[in-house]
Amino acid sequence: MSGTAGFRDPRYAEAITKEIKFRAKGKQLRIIHVCGTHEDTISQHGLRALLPEGLNLVAGPGCPVCVCAAEDVDMAIELARQGHIIATFGDMFQVPSTKSSLAKERVKGADVRIVYGVSEAVEISKKNPEKEVVFIGAGFETTAPTMALELIRRPPSNFSILTSLKVIPPAMDLLVDIEGFDVDGFITPGHVAAIVGTNAFQSFAEKTKTPCVAAGFEPLDVLEAIRMILVQLDEGRADSENEYTRVVRPEGNIAAQKVLNQAFRIDDAPWRGLGIIPKSGYFIRKEFAEHDARVKFDFPEIESIDLLPGCRCHEVILGMVDPVDCKLFGKRCTPMDPYGPCMVGHEGTCRIRYENVDV
Ligand code: SF4
């Protein structure tokens, strides 16, 4: 296949779906993906409708702003209230926290600016040397290297990052450890695999006896990844395989891994509604402490609340309920007025479901 159009060709989709149906016949299977972009592809192209009845394709914790702990958002809000310039991705801007959001703080007069990347935030700090500029660094392995690189380049002293960076494999560990949570295969996120490599998931696949396949983001990528998982199950194997060969290498991106290791250390991190997951977050190393907002600024004791009453984001994130099972879905909670974090960004499962069902 060449070009994107080839990855949407209905003839290939039909052939792959036929094999999926054959291999899944008479079985009850649960395949989970951990990527908001995969959920977007699946919902937009109606892929679930192509799958046999017993094959359940579930969305897991794959949206960076959905899993950003309320305490991190509350810290960002506190810094905005202290009068610093806050630079943030658009998704994070609207994320509701304990009592407010960055969007609401801007309405009240805080200097909160939406940027497309960390380098734009560094430029703001150069143009405003009299002010502190704090970049809200939420994301996974995919976006973390750009932040690491800016730290290594030594930005101006008035620039810092409030990290809320998560590492995906430990969240997969959490899922398989949940009692009664059966999963037969993982579609691993292609962009995360591009950084860490498919080798990074091999020990997980072996240890949990769960096939893993890194997939791209076109409809045929997702269908082919499902087919590859079913082949592994039929052959009694559990390996980390690569469907996204046009981008992902087994060893990943070594240069990106080097900058990540240079700027960040890995430690236990809070995930929204899920509590602390061991070794699941990137934190700035002490060599770069002058750019670490967690070290640089004073924060009052904040009693953060991850889940506002009625919000079922923690269950949605774990793939245990469908967004439409939440009583607030499409009523109190909409993309125009999100009540929980899963309704905010384009990778949020509730938001994606809202945009693809008749509410
Ligand atoms: S619909 Fe809204 S309130 Fe309900 S789980 Fe999703 S984000 Fe939370």
Side-chain angles (χ1 to χ4, degrees):
M1 283 180 277
S2 64
T4 305
F7 291 94
R8 299 180 177 200
D9 189 324
R11 289 168 304 168
Y12 288 110
E14 203 181 322
I16 299 170
T17 312
K18 198 172 165 190
E19 186 176 339
I20 289 174
K21 285 180 177 157
F22 172 75
R23 291 186 180 272
K25 196 173 178 191
K27 297 175 187 163
Q28 290 297 318
L29 297 167
R30 200 157 192 258
I31 292 176
I32 192 160
H33 69 76
V34 281
C35 177
T37 315
H38 278 151
E39 183 56 31
D40 201 34
T41 301
I42 292 161
S43 296
Q44 260 197 47
H45 295 276
L47 298 188
R48 286 191 177 87
L50 300 177
L51 301 177
E53 212 172 279
L55 202 165
N56 192 7
L57 184 57
V58 179
C63 156
V65 300
C66 304
V67 298
C68 184
E71 65 182 75
D72 293 351
V73 187
D74 285 334
M75 286 169 88
I77 289 167
E78 172 61 24
L79 292 172
R81 287 177 180 172
Q82 287 178 14
H84 309 307
I85 297 176
I86 303 298
T88 176
F89 291 130
D91 280 4
M92 193 52 138
F93 181 63
Q94 269 202 306
V95 171
S97 192
T98 309
K99 287 184 181 152
S100 186
S101 66
L102 288 170
K104 285 180 183 162
E105 293 303 310
R106 186 160 85 174
V107 170
K108 288 190 226 161
D111 193 346
V112 182
R113 306 183 190 186
I114 294 174
V115 294
Y116 289 103
V118 61
S119 54
E120 208 179 326
V122 173
E123 286 308 310
I124 293 172
S125 71
K126 288 178 184 165
K127 288 180 187 152
N128 296 272
E130 75 294 351
K131 300 274 284 185
E132 287 291 337
V133 176
V134 185
F135 177 70
I136 311 304
F140 294 132
E141 291 91 334
T142 330
T143 42
T146 59
M147 296 175 216
L149 205 55
E150 288 298 344
L151 292 172
I152 292 164
R153 284 178 181 151
R154 293 290 175 189
S157 60
N158 64 326
F159 171 83
S160 58
I161 302 178
L162 179 67
T163 51
S164 187
L165 293 167
K166 304 290 190 285
V167 183
I168 281 284
M172 290 164 58
D173 274 322
L174 175 90
L175 287 172
V176 292
D177 282 348
I178 295 173
E179 210 178 311
F181 187 88
D182 295 325
V183 53
D184 298 289
F186 275 99
I187 299 175
T188 52
H191 37 32
V192 170
I195 302 296
V196 302
T198 45
N199 290 348
F201 296 97
Q202 182 60 31
S203 61
F204 170 85
E206 286 172 12
K207 179 181 70 182
T208 61
K209 298 185 174 47
T210 314
C212 295
V213 176
F217 302 97
E218 293 296 331
L220 290 192
D221 286 318
V222 176
L223 289 176
E224 175 62 7
I226 294 169
R227 189 196 69 80
M228 289 169 71
I229 287 171
L230 296 180
V231 170
Q232 286 199 45
L233 289 172
D234 280 348
E235 293 176 355
R237 292 187 293 115
D239 290 313
S240 173
E241 290 186 331
N242 186 10
E243 182 280 331
Y244 201 20
T245 50
R246 61 196 188 276
V247 172
V248 174
R249 300 281 167 269
E251 69 281 7
N253 183 329
I254 303 291
Q257 291 166 22
K258 270 190 189 153
V259 296
L260 277 175
N261 288 336
Q262 196 178 335
F264 298 129
R265 63 187 169 81
I266 290 181
D267 212 335
D268 305 347
W271 290 55
R272 193 157 188 161
L274 308 182
I276 305 278
I277 302 182
K279 307 282 180 212
S280 69
Y282 287 116
F283 295 88
I284 296 173
R285 286 190 186 276
K286 63 177 185 313
E287 294 89 320
F288 303 94
E290 67 167 316
H291 303 295
D292 185 351
R294 291 173 187 274
V295 175
K296 192 170 190 177
F297 301 102
D298 290 326
F299 296 95
E301 202 67 38
I302 305 170
E303 289 233 349
S304 296
I305 301 170
D306 265 356
L307 296 164
L308 299 176
C311 176
R312 302 184 70 180
C313 266
H314 57 313
E315 295 167 281
V316 170
I317 286 168
L318 292 176
M320 295 165 89
V321 299
D322 192 273
V324 295
D325 296 332
C326 173
K327 284 185 184 149
L328 308 178
F329 179 85
K331 300 181 180 83
R332 167 63 188 85
C333 186
T334 64
M336 284 68 73
D337 187 13
Y339 182 73
C342 300
M343 189 57 92
V344 176
H346 291 284
E347 293 182 284
T349 307
C350 296
R351 166 92 181 247
I352 294 167
R353 188 70 83 255
Y354 183 90
E355 289 174 347
N356 290 282
V357 298
D358 295 326
V359 181

